Amino acid sequence: MVIEAERELLAPPEDVWALLAEPRHLSDWWPGYTTIRPDRRGFTTGARWQVVRGGGAGLLRKPGGEGLIVITAVDRGRRLAWHDVQQRFDAAIEIEGAGRHTEARAVVEAPWWRIRVEGLRRAPGEALSRLHALCQTAAGL
């Protein structure tokens, strides 16, 4: 099952990408992660990042538990994708635009039962709302 969300971000694509390209910022905009510990490879395909999950429990995960995500794609300036090993879902964020605005799209793909019991249905929309808020904060500086 695929869940998608789209949103216009009020920041130039290069500013949005700068936020996406910093591994430790993933927890600032992706719901469910509170801490990211990238491996020595950093921001590249094949990197393995340790994640600490948020306080919400799921059917198959405990609050505050640790996990692993594997970066499956980095298309500089355009796309970041990963696989969450423990929760067994794939996620991606894609951006495009010119000038002072960026169109962003977030996608989660997982079996329907995972989306339902793990609360992943809201993740793409919430991620884009958080990104929007971060871009607005940066624009105000």
Side-chain angles (χ1 to χ4, degrees):
M1 178 174 214
V2 177
I3 305 294
E4 299 180 20
E6 294 182 5
R7 184 154 190 183
E8 181 181 49
L9 305 176
L10 305 177
E14 56 273 5
D15 290 352
V16 175
W17 186 254
L19 181 65
L20 298 176
E22 172 50 51
R24 295 189 199 307
H25 284 311
L26 180 61
S27 61
D28 293 337
W29 57 270
W30 188 261
Y33 300 152
T34 60
T35 304
I36 306 295
R37 290 186 218 111
D39 69 3
R40 62 180 169 73
R41 289 172 280 193
F43 190 72
T44 188
T45 301
R48 298 158 103 44
W49 300 352
Q50 294 293 317
V51 297
V52 176
R53 304 207 188 278
L59 180 64
L60 303 173
R61 65 181 159 81
K62 62 183 179 182
E66 294 196 14
L68 177 74
I69 63 174
V70 178
I71 305 304
T72 57
V74 174
D75 184 2
R76 299 240 179 238
R78 301 185 66 190
R79 183 171 189 264
L80 166 65
W82 69 92
H83 175 74
D84 188 303
V85 176
Q86 282 73 28
Q87 286 188 276
R88 296 185 187 149
F89 71 84
D90 294 305
I93 181 95
E94 300 168 353
I95 63 169
E96 66 178 49
R100 298 171 63 198
H101 298 272
T102 303
E103 292 296 325
R105 179 173 165 257
V107 179
V108 169
E109 184 173 359
W112 68 269
W113 63 272
R114 278 248 178 231
I115 287 177
R116 184 162 200 136
V117 301
E118 297 293 339
L120 294 171
R121 180 174 298 284
R122 295 182 312 274
E126 188 175 333
L128 293 181
S129 291
R130 288 179 176 193
L131 266 177
H132 184 269
L134 288 168
C135 290
Q136 286 298 101
T137 300
L141 298 176

